[in-house]
Amino acid sequence: RNRLTMKKEKTLGMIKPDAVSKMGSILDLIYLSGMKITKLKMCHLNRNEAFEFYQEHQGKPFLDNLLSYITSGPVVAFELMGEGTVGRWRELLGPTDSAVARKENPTSIRARFGKDKTMNACHGSDGVASAARELEFFFPSVGPSRKNTAKFDDCT
Ligand code: RTP
Ligand code: MG
């Protein structure tokens, strides 16, 4: 795609519990990619929060595993901004299954830092609409209509 014609976008990225110890290397790769980190926080989701975040996977066989994994430790959530960022961040992540990533895209984040098809280092919104929903989840808009004010009270 032609970068000059790409629209400026925001997306939600998240370093999953298994890769939080690799945060420095992952943030370096984002920096080198030219995408800008415009918000960032570390927090430990509880099961209800994780279920809300992954609502699109209700009914899927891997949901229970996924919720246990994502609540097993802190995550680092961030907003990325730039031209074509939704797709560019997914590209930098590589395929969902880390083993497939090592074959098909060896320099991708999941190839380098993922373990298998569940513990795969990082999350990326899969479109502009899910990016908006997921950004609102981690970084609720401030103001009189602000929702979920009790959420993440225990966040650093
Ligand atoms: P993500 O949402 O984390 O960026 O990953 P994705 O779009 O590539 O994958 P998705 O299909 O949305 O799945 C969400 C996460 O669920 C875990 N998963 N486990 N068969 C399995 O064991 C399985 N399939 C998916 C992964 O952590 C995946 O990223
Ligand atoms: Mg997904």
Side-chain angles (χ1 to χ4, degrees):
R1 285 190 289 170
N2 180 352
R3 291 186 56 171
L4 294 172
T5 64
M6 282 200 270
K7 259 190 69 198
K8 217 167 200 180
E9 291 173 346
K10 293 177 186 176
T11 196
L12 185 277
M14 176 173 69
I15 305 176
K16 298 180 180 184
D18 62 304
V20 167
S21 64
K22 310 285 170 36
M23 169 165 58
S25 305
I26 292 168
L27 297 183
D28 267 349
L29 289 174
I30 294 170
Y31 171 73
L32 290 170
S33 79
M35 289 182 278
K36 295 280 173 279
I37 297 174
T38 40
K39 293 175 184 170
L40 182 144
K41 76 172 152 199
M42 178 179 277
C43 55
H44 194 151
L45 300 179
N46 66 35
R47 202 155 172 106
N48 284 337
E49 290 161 347
F51 185 73
E52 184 188 336
F53 181 75
Y54 279 123
Q55 54 185 252
E56 67 191 89
H57 296 309
Q58 274 179 60
K60 296 206 184 139
F62 61 79
L63 179 65
D64 201 59
N65 263 343
L66 176 59
L67 296 181
S68 300
Y69 160 49
I70 216 67
T71 58
S72 67
V75 299
V76 177
F78 46 86
E79 179 185 84
L80 290 178
M81 220 184 268
E83 286 169 356
T85 293
V86 172
R88 287 177 65 204
W89 172 235
R90 298 273 294 180
E91 181 68 26
L92 187 56
L93 286 181
T96 305
D97 185 334
S98 308
V100 174
R102 281 188 269 279
K103 284 194 192 112
E104 294 180 359
N105 190 350
T107 61
S108 66
I109 284 175
R110 283 164 171 169
R112 292 182 201 212
F113 305 113
K115 293 184 175 62
D116 52 37
K117 67 182 173 196
T118 298
M119 296 172 63
N120 59 1
C122 287
H123 165 85
S125 309
D126 61 13
V128 173
S130 54
R133 183 183 72 76
E134 293 172 5
L135 284 168
E136 185 63 23
F137 175 86
F138 277 108
F139 304 104
S141 332
V142 180
S145 66
R146 179 174 170 167
K147 295 169 296 198
N148 304 323
T149 46
K151 199 188 274 179
F152 306 130
D153 275 352
D154 58 346
C155 285
T156 50

mmCIF file of all heavy atoms in Angstrom, residues 93-131:
data_model
loop_
_atom_site.group_PDB
_atom_site.id
_atom_site.type_symbol
_atom_site.label_atom_id
_atom_site.label_comp_id
_atom_site.label_asym_id
_atom_site.label_seq_id
_atom_site.Cartn_x
_atom_site.Cartn_y
_atom_site.Cartn_z
ATOM 1 N N LEU A 93 2.790 -7.813 14.285
ATOM 2 C CA LEU A 93 2.502 -8.934 15.186
ATOM 3 C C LEU A 93 2.777 -10.277 14.521
ATOM 4 O O LEU A 93 3.298 -11.187 15.158
ATOM 5 C CB LEU A 93 1.028 -8.914 15.605
ATOM 6 C CG LEU A 93 0.601 -7.863 16.610
ATOM 7 C CD1 LEU A 93 -0.891 -8.028 16.907
ATOM 8 C CD2 LEU A 93 1.409 -8.007 17.897
ATOM 9 N N GLY A 94 2.370 -10.415 13.253
ATOM 10 C CA GLY A 94 2.471 -11.705 12.581
ATOM 11 C C GLY A 94 1.257 -12.567 12.865
ATOM 12 O O GLY A 94 0.336 -12.159 13.563
ATOM 13 N N PRO A 95 1.247 -13.816 12.319
ATOM 14 C CA PRO A 95 0.103 -14.720 12.498
ATOM 15 C C PRO A 95 -0.181 -15.034 13.970
ATOM 16 O O PRO A 95 0.731 -14.995 14.802
ATOM 17 C CB PRO A 95 0.550 -15.985 11.754
ATOM 18 C CG PRO A 95 1.599 -15.537 10.786
ATOM 19 C CD PRO A 95 2.280 -14.370 11.445
ATOM 20 N N THR A 96 -1.456 -15.375 14.261
ATOM 21 C CA THR A 96 -1.902 -15.645 15.641
ATOM 22 C C THR A 96 -1.043 -16.714 16.321
ATOM 23 O O THR A 96 -0.631 -16.548 17.474
ATOM 24 C CB THR A 96 -3.369 -16.132 15.614
ATOM 25 O OG1 THR A 96 -4.153 -15.148 14.926
ATOM 26 C CG2 THR A 96 -3.908 -16.313 17.018
ATOM 27 N N ASP A 97 -0.798 -17.816 15.624
ATOM 28 C CA ASP A 97 -0.041 -18.938 16.186
ATOM 29 C C ASP A 97 1.466 -18.639 16.073
ATOM 30 O O ASP A 97 2.001 -18.501 14.969
ATOM 31 C CB ASP A 97 -0.405 -20.214 15.411
ATOM 32 C CG ASP A 97 0.234 -21.461 16.006
ATOM 33 O OD1 ASP A 97 1.292 -21.354 16.662
ATOM 34 O OD2 ASP A 97 -0.325 -22.550 15.791
ATOM 35 N N SER A 98 2.139 -18.573 17.210
ATOM 36 C CA SER A 98 3.557 -18.195 17.225
ATOM 37 C C SER A 98 4.412 -19.137 16.373
ATOM 38 O O SER A 98 5.393 -18.697 15.757
ATOM 39 C CB SER A 98 4.077 -18.191 18.663
ATOM 40 O OG SER A 98 3.249 -17.405 19.481
ATOM 41 N N ALA A 99 4.050 -20.428 16.316
ATOM 42 C CA ALA A 99 4.814 -21.389 15.510
ATOM 43 C C ALA A 99 4.666 -21.068 14.021
ATOM 44 O O ALA A 99 5.644 -21.138 13.262
ATOM 45 C CB ALA A 99 4.342 -22.812 15.796
ATOM 46 N N VAL A 100 3.445 -20.711 13.620
ATOM 47 C CA VAL A 100 3.213 -20.295 12.230
ATOM 48 C C VAL A 100 3.975 -19.000 11.949
ATOM 49 O O VAL A 100 4.587 -18.837 10.883
ATOM 50 C CB VAL A 100 1.696 -20.118 11.962
ATOM 51 C CG1 VAL A 100 1.449 -19.537 10.571
ATOM 52 C CG2 VAL A 100 0.967 -21.445 12.136
ATOM 53 N N ALA A 101 3.965 -18.092 12.910
ATOM 54 C CA ALA A 101 4.676 -16.812 12.750
ATOM 55 C C ALA A 101 6.170 -17.055 12.504
ATOM 56 O O ALA A 101 6.779 -16.401 11.658
ATOM 57 C CB ALA A 101 4.463 -15.943 13.989
ATOM 58 N N ARG A 102 6.740 -18.021 13.212
ATOM 59 C CA ARG A 102 8.180 -18.293 13.044
ATOM 60 C C ARG A 102 8.477 -18.812 11.641
ATOM 61 O O ARG A 102 9.559 -18.572 11.110
ATOM 62 C CB ARG A 102 8.666 -19.277 14.121
ATOM 63 C CG ARG A 102 8.893 -18.571 15.472
ATOM 64 C CD ARG A 102 9.554 -19.466 16.501
ATOM 65 N NE ARG A 102 8.584 -20.193 17.313
ATOM 66 C CZ ARG A 102 7.932 -19.682 18.365
ATOM 67 N NH1 ARG A 102 8.159 -18.433 18.744
ATOM 68 N NH2 ARG A 102 7.083 -20.408 19.047
ATOM 69 N N LYS A 103 7.500 -19.493 11.034
ATOM 70 C CA LYS A 103 7.699 -19.977 9.658
ATOM 71 C C LYS A 103 7.455 -18.885 8.632
ATOM 72 O O LYS A 103 8.204 -18.711 7.684
ATOM 73 C CB LYS A 103 6.747 -21.146 9.368
ATOM 74 C CG LYS A 103 7.188 -22.439 10.014
ATOM 75 C CD LYS A 103 6.438 -23.643 9.435
ATOM 76 C CE LYS A 103 6.672 -24.888 10.276
ATOM 77 N NZ LYS A 103 5.451 -25.325 10.987
ATOM 78 N N GLU A 104 6.332 -18.144 8.823
ATOM 79 C CA GLU A 104 5.878 -17.229 7.768
ATOM 80 C C GLU A 104 6.418 -15.814 7.892
ATOM 81 O O GLU A 104 6.484 -15.090 6.903
ATOM 82 C CB GLU A 104 4.336 -17.191 7.744
ATOM 83 C CG GLU A 104 3.746 -18.522 7.319
ATOM 84 C CD GLU A 104 2.229 -18.518 7.277
ATOM 85 O OE1 GLU A 104 1.614 -17.470 7.600
ATOM 86 O OE2 GLU A 104 1.659 -19.568 6.925
ATOM 87 N N ASN A 105 6.730 -15.385 9.111
ATOM 88 C CA ASN A 105 7.185 -14.009 9.321
ATOM 89 C C ASN A 105 8.139 -13.976 10.513
ATOM 90 O O ASN A 105 7.788 -13.527 11.599
ATOM 91 C CB ASN A 105 5.960 -13.098 9.544
ATOM 92 C CG ASN A 105 6.333 -11.631 9.530
ATOM 93 O OD1 ASN A 105 7.512 -11.271 9.536
ATOM 94 N ND2 ASN A 105 5.329 -10.771 9.534
ATOM 95 N N PRO A 106 9.383 -14.496 10.293
ATOM 96 C CA PRO A 106 10.329 -14.725 11.393
ATOM 97 C C PRO A 106 10.757 -13.468 12.149
ATOM 98 O O PRO A 106 11.268 -13.581 13.263
ATOM 99 C CB PRO A 106 11.539 -15.374 10.714
ATOM 100 C CG PRO A 106 11.152 -15.652 9.316
ATOM 101 C CD PRO A 106 9.911 -14.905 8.984
ATOM 102 N N THR A 107 10.572 -12.293 11.548
ATOM 103 C CA THR A 107 10.968 -11.080 12.271
ATOM 104 C C THR A 107 9.795 -10.472 13.041
ATOM 105 O O THR A 107 9.959 -9.462 13.723
ATOM 106 C CB THR A 107 11.537 -10.014 11.304
ATOM 107 O OG1 THR A 107 10.512 -9.665 10.362
ATOM 108 C CG2 THR A 107 12.761 -10.546 10.563
ATOM 109 N N SER A 108 8.610 -11.088 12.945
ATOM 110 C CA SER A 108 7.430 -10.533 13.619
ATOM 111 C C SER A 108 7.535 -10.698 15.139
ATOM 112 O O SER A 108 8.332 -11.503 15.644
ATOM 113 C CB SER A 108 6.160 -11.216 13.102
ATOM 114 O OG SER A 108 6.162 -12.580 13.469
ATOM 115 N N ILE A 109 6.704 -9.932 15.847
ATOM 116 C CA ILE A 109 6.727 -9.962 17.310
ATOM 117 C C ILE A 109 6.340 -11.336 17.843
ATOM 118 O O ILE A 109 6.945 -11.855 18.788
ATOM 119 C CB ILE A 109 5.801 -8.853 17.857
ATOM 120 C CG1 ILE A 109 6.507 -7.497 17.708
ATOM 121 C CG2 ILE A 109 5.413 -9.110 19.313
ATOM 122 C CD1 ILE A 109 5.679 -6.289 18.095
ATOM 123 N N ARG A 110 5.323 -11.971 17.243
ATOM 124 C CA ARG A 110 4.910 -13.289 17.742
ATOM 125 C C ARG A 110 5.964 -14.346 17.440
ATOM 126 O O ARG A 110 6.160 -15.279 18.226
ATOM 127 C CB ARG A 110 3.547 -13.667 17.167
ATOM 128 C CG ARG A 110 2.435 -12.906 17.886
ATOM 129 C CD ARG A 110 1.140 -12.925 17.158
ATOM 130 N NE ARG A 110 0.069 -12.367 17.972
ATOM 131 C CZ ARG A 110 -1.141 -12.075 17.492
ATOM 132 N NH1 ARG A 110 -1.423 -12.279 16.228
ATOM 133 N NH2 ARG A 110 -2.046 -11.569 18.292
ATOM 134 N N ALA A 111 6.677 -14.216 16.303
ATOM 135 C CA ALA A 111 7.764 -15.147 16.001
ATOM 136 C C ALA A 111 8.865 -15.021 17.048
ATOM 137 O O ALA A 111 9.415 -16.011 17.519
ATOM 138 C CB ALA A 111 8.316 -14.869 14.610
ATOM 139 N N ARG A 112 9.177 -13.800 17.433
ATOM 140 C CA ARG A 112 10.292 -13.576 18.357
ATOM 141 C C ARG A 112 9.930 -13.848 19.808
ATOM 142 O O ARG A 112 10.748 -14.367 20.571
ATOM 143 C CB ARG A 112 10.754 -12.117 18.274
ATOM 144 C CG ARG A 112 11.403 -11.750 16.969
ATOM 145 C CD ARG A 112 11.843 -10.304 17.054
ATOM 146 N NE ARG A 112 12.014 -9.735 15.733
ATOM 147 C CZ ARG A 112 12.911 -8.793 15.453
ATOM 148 N NH1 ARG A 112 13.704 -8.325 16.399
ATOM 149 N NH2 ARG A 112 12.998 -8.319 14.237
ATOM 150 N N PHE A 113 8.710 -13.443 20.202
ATOM 151 C CA PHE A 113 8.395 -13.435 21.638
ATOM 152 C C PHE A 113 7.238 -14.335 22.033
ATOM 153 O O PHE A 113 7.008 -14.541 23.217
ATOM 154 C CB PHE A 113 8.097 -12.001 22.091
ATOM 155 C CG PHE A 113 9.195 -11.035 21.774
ATOM 156 C CD1 PHE A 113 9.005 -10.018 20.839
ATOM 157 C CD2 PHE A 113 10.436 -11.157 22.389
ATOM 158 C CE1 PHE A 113 10.033 -9.129 20.531
ATOM 159 C CE2 PHE A 113 11.467 -10.277 22.084
ATOM 160 C CZ PHE A 113 11.268 -9.258 21.153
ATOM 161 N N GLY A 114 6.456 -14.864 21.069
ATOM 162 C CA GLY A 114 5.314 -15.713 21.400
ATOM 163 C C GLY A 114 5.753 -17.134 21.710
ATOM 164 O O GLY A 114 6.844 -17.563 21.332
ATOM 165 N N LYS A 115 4.889 -17.865 22.426
ATOM 166 C CA LYS A 115 5.210 -19.254 22.777
ATOM 167 C C LYS A 115 4.420 -20.244 21.935
ATOM 168 O O LYS A 115 4.965 -21.209 21.421
ATOM 169 C CB LYS A 115 4.943 -19.477 24.268
ATOM 170 C CG LYS A 115 5.904 -18.683 25.146
ATOM 171 C CD LYS A 115 5.723 -18.960 26.625
ATOM 172 C CE LYS A 115 6.786 -18.231 27.456
ATOM 173 N NZ LYS A 115 6.706 -16.746 27.312
ATOM 174 N N ASP A 116 3.099 -20.032 21.797
ATOM 175 C CA ASP A 116 2.256 -20.965 21.040
ATOM 176 C C ASP A 116 1.061 -20.199 20.477
ATOM 177 O O ASP A 116 1.164 -18.988 20.275
ATOM 178 C CB ASP A 116 1.828 -22.148 21.931
ATOM 179 C CG ASP A 116 1.204 -21.686 23.248
ATOM 180 O OD1 ASP A 116 0.476 -20.666 23.248
ATOM 181 O OD2 ASP A 116 1.450 -22.343 24.278
ATOM 182 N N LYS A 117 -0.079 -20.893 20.264
ATOM 183 C CA LYS A 117 -1.177 -20.166 19.625
ATOM 184 C C LYS A 117 -2.071 -19.434 20.619
ATOM 185 O O LYS A 117 -2.935 -18.663 20.217
ATOM 186 C CB LYS A 117 -1.983 -21.071 18.690
ATOM 187 C CG LYS A 117 -2.770 -22.166 19.316
ATOM 188 C CD LYS A 117 -3.457 -22.973 18.209
ATOM 189 C CE LYS A 117 -4.116 -24.200 18.812
ATOM 190 N NZ LYS A 117 -4.478 -25.217 17.838
ATOM 191 N N THR A 118 -1.890 -19.682 21.900
ATOM 192 C CA THR A 118 -2.609 -18.888 22.914
ATOM 193 C C THR A 118 -1.679 -17.829 23.502
ATOM 194 O O THR A 118 -1.997 -16.642 23.512
ATOM 195 C CB THR A 118 -3.159 -19.802 24.030
ATOM 196 O OG1 THR A 118 -4.088 -20.710 23.446
ATOM 197 C CG2 THR A 118 -3.871 -18.977 25.093
ATOM 198 N N MET A 119 -0.504 -18.279 23.966
ATOM 199 C CA MET A 119 0.456 -17.337 24.547
ATOM 200 C C MET A 119 1.288 -16.751 23.411
ATOM 201 O O MET A 119 2.385 -17.255 23.088
ATOM 202 C CB MET A 119 1.317 -18.057 25.587
ATOM 203 C CG MET A 119 0.452 -18.545 26.748
ATOM 204 S SD MET A 119 1.254 -19.596 27.948
ATOM 205 C CE MET A 119 2.498 -18.543 28.622
ATOM 206 N N ASN A 120 0.744 -15.695 22.819
ATOM 207 C CA ASN A 120 1.339 -15.166 21.597
ATOM 208 C C ASN A 120 1.791 -13.706 21.717
ATOM 209 O O ASN A 120 1.752 -12.947 20.765
ATOM 210 C CB ASN A 120 0.383 -15.374 20.415
ATOM 211 C CG ASN A 120 -0.955 -14.697 20.635
ATOM 212 O OD1 ASN A 120 -1.164 -14.052 21.659
ATOM 213 N ND2 ASN A 120 -1.851 -14.812 19.676
ATOM 214 N N ALA A 121 2.201 -13.334 22.918
ATOM 215 C CA ALA A 121 2.939 -12.089 23.186
ATOM 216 C C ALA A 121 2.123 -10.794 23.165
ATOM 217 O O ALA A 121 2.242 -9.981 24.081
ATOM 218 C CB ALA A 121 4.152 -11.947 22.273
ATOM 219 N N CYS A 122 1.353 -10.570 22.107
ATOM 220 C CA CYS A 122 0.682 -9.271 21.981
ATOM 221 C C CYS A 122 -0.665 -9.397 21.290
ATOM 222 O O CYS A 122 -0.925 -10.345 20.549
ATOM 223 C CB CYS A 122 1.521 -8.298 21.156
ATOM 224 S SG CYS A 122 2.973 -7.651 21.986
ATOM 225 N N HIS A 123 -1.497 -8.409 21.525
ATOM 226 C CA HIS A 123 -2.803 -8.263 20.887
ATOM 227 C C HIS A 123 -2.802 -7.023 20.000
ATOM 228 O O HIS A 123 -2.122 -6.048 20.301
ATOM 229 C CB HIS A 123 -3.886 -8.103 21.959
ATOM 230 C CG HIS A 123 -5.202 -7.600 21.428
ATOM 231 N ND1 HIS A 123 -6.145 -8.443 20.886
ATOM 232 C CD2 HIS A 123 -5.714 -6.347 21.336
ATOM 233 C CE1 HIS A 123 -7.192 -7.720 20.484
ATOM 234 N NE2 HIS A 123 -6.957 -6.452 20.749
ATOM 235 N N GLY A 124 -3.608 -7.075 18.938
ATOM 236 C CA GLY A 124 -3.858 -5.888 18.132
ATOM 237 C C GLY A 124 -5.293 -5.870 17.661
ATOM 238 O O GLY A 124 -5.826 -6.900 17.243
ATOM 239 N N SER A 125 -5.952 -4.723 17.740
ATOM 240 C CA SER A 125 -7.327 -4.604 17.243
ATOM 241 C C SER A 125 -7.363 -5.038 15.781
ATOM 242 O O SER A 125 -6.446 -4.765 15.017
ATOM 243 C CB SER A 125 -7.809 -3.157 17.340
ATOM 244 O OG SER A 125 -7.597 -2.642 18.621
ATOM 245 N N ASP A 126 -8.485 -5.704 15.391
ATOM 246 C CA ASP A 126 -8.538 -6.231 14.021
ATOM 247 C C ASP A 126 -9.255 -5.314 13.034
ATOM 248 O O ASP A 126 -9.476 -5.691 11.888
ATOM 249 C CB ASP A 126 -9.123 -7.642 14.002
ATOM 250 C CG ASP A 126 -10.542 -7.692 14.531
ATOM 251 O OD1 ASP A 126 -11.169 -6.620 14.693
ATOM 252 O OD2 ASP A 126 -11.040 -8.807 14.779
ATOM 253 N N GLY A 127 -9.606 -4.098 13.459
ATOM 254 C CA GLY A 127 -10.240 -3.153 12.537
ATOM 255 C C GLY A 127 -10.442 -1.816 13.228
ATOM 256 O O GLY A 127 -10.208 -1.690 14.437
ATOM 257 N N VAL A 128 -10.889 -0.833 12.458
ATOM 258 C CA VAL A 128 -11.060 0.516 13.012
ATOM 259 C C VAL A 128 -12.158 0.529 14.081
ATOM 260 O O VAL A 128 -12.027 1.186 15.117
ATOM 261 C CB VAL A 128 -11.371 1.518 11.882
ATOM 262 C CG1 VAL A 128 -11.729 2.890 12.430
ATOM 263 C CG2 VAL A 128 -10.166 1.626 10.951
ATOM 264 N N ALA A 129 -13.241 -0.245 13.864
ATOM 265 C CA ALA A 129 -14.350 -0.257 14.828
ATOM 266 C C ALA A 129 -13.942 -0.943 16.131
ATOM 267 O O ALA A 129 -14.211 -0.425 17.222
ATOM 268 C CB ALA A 129 -15.566 -0.951 14.216
ATOM 269 N N SER A 130 -13.264 -2.090 16.036
ATOM 270 C CA SER A 130 -12.841 -2.752 17.273
ATOM 271 C C SER A 130 -11.761 -1.927 17.962
ATOM 272 O O SER A 130 -11.679 -1.904 19.197
ATOM 273 C CB SER A 130 -12.397 -4.195 17.034
ATOM 274 O OG SER A 130 -11.412 -4.268 16.052
ATOM 275 N N ALA A 131 -10.934 -1.222 17.205
ATOM 276 C CA ALA A 131 -9.925 -0.348 17.811
ATOM 277 C C ALA A 131 -10.605 0.722 18.673
ATOM 278 O O ALA A 131 -10.186 0.977 19.805
ATOM 279 C CB ALA A 131 -9.062 0.305 16.741
#
